[in-house]
Amino acid sequence: MFEKSVYIERRNELKKLVSSGLILLLGNNESPNNYPNNAYTPFRQDSSFLYYFGQQRDGLAGVIDVNSGDEWLLGDDIDIEDIVWYGSVDSVADMAAQVGVAHSAPMARFEEMVKQAVSQGRPVHFLPPYRHDTMIKLMDLLGIHPTKQREAASLELIHAVVKMRSTKSALEIAEMERACAIGYEMHTTAMRLIKPGVTEKYIGGQVDGIARSLGAQVSFGTIFSQHGEIMHGNPSMALLEAGRLALCDCGAETMENYCSDHTRTMPVSGKYTQRQLDIYNIVVDCHDLVLKVARPGVKYFDVHMAVCRLMTERLKELGLMRGDVDEAVAAGAHAMFLPHGLGHMIGMDVHDMEGLGQIYVGFDEETRPRLDQFGTNALRMGRRLEEGFVVTDEPGIYFIPALIDDWRASGHCKEFLNFDMLETYKDFGGIRIEDDVLITADGCRFLGEKQIPYYPQDIEAFMAQ
Ligand code: GLY
Ligand code: MN
C-alpha cells in the first residue's frame, strides 16, 4: 500500500471529476474455483477499488458522496471462526483509517445508503461489473435487469477513472519497473531452460514459479507455445523440437498490483534458421520503429499504421506480399500476418482498464476504432499519447494455416498476397516481440532497467551461455 495521502488525493481528484451523487467502488469477493471454500488464489482485488481505497481484503466496498464529500469503507469484520482458519486481519475501521477514510460501517450500511440514494433520485455511479456476485448485488440494489448492467454503468465515472488511471505517477512507474524486473527474471529463465525434449508446460510452470517466488504473481495466464501463431496459446505437454520457435508472452504483477507484459520468441535449438531470421528481423524493425515515433501528441493508431506499412514493405521484399503498400494496408491485407493491434495500455491491469470499456480507454471521439475490418477491429489503443501513459509495443508476424486457407478460398486480398508462398510457411509458427513503453515529456522509453534480450544475436548469445 502507498502512503495514505496518495489515496486521499486520488479520491479528492475523483470528486472534482464527477458532478454529483454517490460513487460506488466495489471490491472483489473471493472467487470460488470448484466449491466455495476452494477459491482461486491469490485473491485479486478490483483495480479501481485498489486505486482509490488501497485495501487488499475481500468483501469491501468504498462509497464517496460527491455532494457532501463524505467517504466510507464498508465491510464486515471477521469473526473468531475466520481467525481460526485464516488468521487475524485489521478491523474495517482500522483499514479505513490507513487510507484516510473517515467513516466505516458493516456491509449492511452499504445497502441502506444505496437504497436511500435511489429513493431520493440521486445519481448512483458504478463501474461496469465483471464478476457475477458483484453484478447480482448491484442489480438487486438498483433494480436493474441483468442484461442492462453494463449500459447502466456511469459513463461519467468511467471517464473520470480512465482519465486518472491512464497517467501513471512516479510511484506507479517505480512499481511497474519492479514488475519489469521480475518479468526480466521470468523471461531469462525461459531462455535458459528452452531446449529440445522439455515440455512447454515445464517452461511455463518454471516461469510462473519465478513470479510467485519473488513475491509477485503472473499478470495474466502465461503464454508459452511452439505454436506462436496462436495469439494466446497455452503451454501444452508437447515436447520442444529442434528447429522450431518457442514464443513466451508473460508478465509479473507486483504486490501493489502493477503489471509487466513482455514477449520474446526463441529458437528451440539456440540458433535461428535463415528463414526464421528473415521474418524475425522484420518484427525487430517494427518493434524498434515505435521507439522512434511514439511521443506525446502522436496517435497510437498512426504508430500502428506506420508499423503495418513497414511490415508490408518488408514482406513484399520477401515475396510474401505484393502490390501498392498503402493500398494493401488500407485493404487490411497485412492482417494476414498481424491480426491484432500494436499494443494496449498497461498498469494495474495488464490490459489496463479493459473492463471499463476499451472504447473509452483506448479511443476517443477523434480516434473511433474501425470495427468493420479484420485486424483493425482488434486494436486496443488508438488515441493520442500523453506523458505518463504506459503502452505495450508488441508487433508480430504469424502464419495461421486456417487463416491462409480461409482467405485463399474466399480470395480476400488476393491482389496483395502470395498464397503459393504462404502455403510453404504453414509450418512456421509465429513471432512476437513485446515491451512496455513509457511516454515521456518528449518521447518514450522502455520500462525495465535490464532489457530482456531481443536482438537475434543477443538471444543466441544468451542461450549459448
Ligand atoms: N500479453 C498478452 C496480451 O497482451 O494479450
Ligand atoms: Mn500485451
Side-chain angles (χ1 to χ4, degrees), residues 219-221 223 231-232 249-251 260-263 343-344 350-351 354 380 392 394 432 434:
S219 52
F220 57 96
I223 295 162
M231 300 305 112
H232 287 174
D249 179 352
C250 66
S260 67
D261 183 6
H262 294 95
T263 308
H344 49 85
V350 65
H351 290 177
E354 189 167 286
R380 293 197 165 98
T392 62
E394 51 177 310
R432 178 164 62 250
E434 175 176 24

Side-chain angles (χ1 to χ4, degrees), residues 56-291:
Q56 289 282 2
R57 213 201 82 181
D58 61 305
L60 298 173
V63 174
I64 301 172
D65 186 323
V66 179
N67 302 83
S68 68
D70 287 342
E71 300 167 341
W72 288 266
L73 182 70
L74 301 125
D76 297 325
D77 283 328
I78 60 167
D79 61 20
I80 187 65
E81 289 204 24
D82 292 323
I83 293 170
V84 168
W85 285 96
Y86 305 111
S88 199
V89 295
D90 291 340
S91 69
V92 175
D94 285 344
M95 286 193 276
Q98 287 156 11
V99 291
V101 170
H103 308 287
S104 64
M107 192 50 90
R109 181 84 185 95
F110 175 80
E111 286 147 27
E112 286 164 20
M113 285 162 76
V114 176
K115 283 187 176 153
Q116 190 182 21
V118 171
S119 71
Q120 291 169 343
R122 299 185 66 201
V124 177
H125 304 274
F126 62 90
L127 298 172
Y130 54 92
R131 288 205 182 176
H132 295 104
D133 52 346
T134 318
M135 277 186 201
I136 291 167
K137 184 180 180 116
L138 278 171
M139 181 181 68
D140 271 356
L141 283 171
L142 299 168
I144 298 168
H145 190 272
T147 57
K148 300 278 184 275
Q149 284 266 322
R150 255 202 103 78
E151 60 209 64
S154 164
L155 257 187
E156 198 181 359
L157 181 59
I158 290 171
H159 283 305
V161 172
V162 167
K163 182 173 165 53
M164 291 184 65
R165 285 180 52 192
S166 291
T167 306
K168 274 64 181 178
S169 68
L171 269 181
E172 293 179 291
I173 291 163
E175 201 57 33
M176 293 182 77
E177 294 278 15
R178 274 191 270 283
C180 287
I182 299 168
Y184 177 90
E185 297 301 327
M186 294 165 77
H187 274 276
T188 50
T189 296
M191 274 181 204
R192 260 184 228 109
L193 294 175
I194 287 172
K195 61 172 183 207
V198 299
T199 65
E200 293 175 356
K201 270 190 191 287
Y202 176 75
I203 309 274
Q206 295 292 322
V207 161
D208 291 1
I210 295 287
R212 287 218 181 195
S213 65
L214 294 174
Q217 52 185 297
V218 293
S219 52
F220 57 96
T222 291
I223 295 162
F224 184 86
S225 178
Q226 291 175 108
H227 282 285
E229 78 280 9
I230 301 172
M231 300 305 112
H232 287 174
N234 290 322
S236 74
M237 283 305 286
L239 299 177
L240 297 190
E241 293 171 25
R244 293 186 69 177
L245 295 168
L247 184 149
C248 181
D249 179 352
C250 66
E253 182 173 314
T254 65
M255 304 242 314
E256 299 299 333
N257 300 97
Y258 283 85
C259 299
S260 67
D261 183 6
H262 294 95
T263 308
R264 295 294 184 262
T265 310
M266 283 75 57
V268 170
S269 23
K271 234 176 147 24
Y272 296 96
T273 65
Q274 189 56 48
R275 185 171 82 137
Q276 288 166 347
L277 272 180
D278 288 344
I279 300 295
Y280 194 97
N281 284 326
I282 302 178
V283 183
V284 168
D285 290 347
C286 291
H287 169 270
D288 287 359
L289 178 67
V290 176
L291 275 192

Side-chain angles (χ1 to χ4, degrees), residues 274-401:
Q274 189 56 48
R275 185 171 82 137
Q276 288 166 347
L277 272 180
D278 288 344
I279 300 295
Y280 194 97
N281 284 326
I282 302 178
V283 183
V284 168
D285 290 347
C286 291
H287 169 270
D288 287 359
L289 178 67
V290 176
L291 275 192
K292 296 180 198 132
V293 297
R295 61 168 58 82
V298 169
K299 283 189 241 166
Y300 211 51
F301 178 79
D302 291 342
V303 184
H304 169 81
M305 285 319 224
V307 161
C308 296
R309 278 192 298 276
L310 175 62
M311 188 178 285
T312 301
E313 250 165 54
R314 300 286 298 278
L315 288 168
K316 255 183 80 175
E317 285 163 22
L318 281 185
L320 280 158
M321 292 190 79
R322 58 186 168 215
D324 180 79
V325 168
D326 290 333
E327 283 174 23
V329 171
H334 61 279
M336 165 59 78
F337 306 93
L338 175 65
H340 60 73
L342 182 59
H344 49 85
M345 291 269 213
I346 177 167
M348 298 180 86
D349 306 308
V350 65
H351 290 177
D352 210 20
M353 300 172 278
E354 189 167 286
L356 304 188
Q358 202 61 64
I359 184 92
Y360 309 120
V361 178
F363 302 91
D364 54 18
E365 289 296 318
E366 190 192 12
T367 51
R368 291 216 167 280
R370 230 188 122 171
L371 299 176
D372 61 342
Q373 191 182 64
F374 177 77
T376 313
N377 62 359
L379 260 67
R380 293 197 165 98
M381 174 68 188
R383 69 185 168 112
R384 285 187 196 277
L385 299 167
E386 295 178 27
E387 183 180 357
F389 282 12
V390 185
V391 292
T392 62
D393 165 18
E394 51 177 310
I397 294 182
Y398 314 93
F399 293 89
I400 307 166

